[in-house]
Amino acid sequence: MLDGLFFTRRTRAWRAATTIIAGVACLMSAACDSKTPPPPPASSAAAAASVAPATSGCPATGLWAECSVVHSLDRAGLAPHVDSGAKPQEKSLTGNPLVLTIGRTAQLEIFLYADSAARIADEAKLDRSALVNATAEQTIKRERTLIESVNVIGLLTSLSAHQRERVSDAITAGPPQPIKP
């Protein structure tokens, strides 16, 4: 009796799996018959809502803004918190500063510029011997991590290599791009 029950469950699972696989194959090929309804077309507004941080009220301009940096880090699961009372440690940079706390102990200093040319010009002031990129190993000096993307410079103070990589990935992926009609 139990053997028959197991066979019935296994047969149902097998049929369900083959039905799903056939459905996926049908959607991926042009051989679908007219009985299978095509997937509903995605409107450009729906696509924009899923890609751009429209819910945060942050414009997708192709440049970083404070809200898009925070939104990108939040979407990466890093739980950023704006530290409004903190002053950036880096005094040589002239960009618009934003200090964020990532997790419990990491601190991220963000400097926003009008464009990438202004970022590159200001970045020349940095002492690169005291900084490392996200993929480089920190030494006993505990260097800060330099993150550069379009019109933003980020300086991350964290000892976690995994956290350094995740923050860097979230920012170097680029700012939200405008939607082309």
Side-chain angles (χ1 to χ4, degrees), residues 125-181:
K125 301 175 188 175
L126 286 173
D127 177 16
R128 290 188 175 263
S129 66
L131 303 169
V132 294
N133 67 25
T135 58
E137 292 293 324
Q138 289 178 313
T139 67
I140 198 164
K141 296 177 186 178
R142 299 170 60 170
E143 299 94 340
R144 292 187 297 167
T145 304
L146 172 65
I147 305 166
E148 314 155 280
S149 175
V150 188
N151 65 318
V152 73
I153 295 175
L155 299 172
L156 177 65
T157 304
S158 175
L159 296 178
S160 168
H162 182 67
Q163 187 177 48
R164 292 172 51 232
E165 181 180 12
R166 289 183 62 204
V167 171
S168 176
D169 287 348
I171 294 174
T172 58
Q177 297 299 307
I179 298 169
K180 298 177 183 175

Side-chain angles (χ1 to χ4, degrees), residues 47-61 63-65 67-72 75 174-177 179:
S50 66
V51 175
T55 57
S56 67
C58 196
T61 62
L63 294 173
W64 286 108
C67 55
S68 58
V69 171
V70 172
H71 184 75
S72 179
R75 285 189 62 182
Q177 297 299 307
I179 298 169

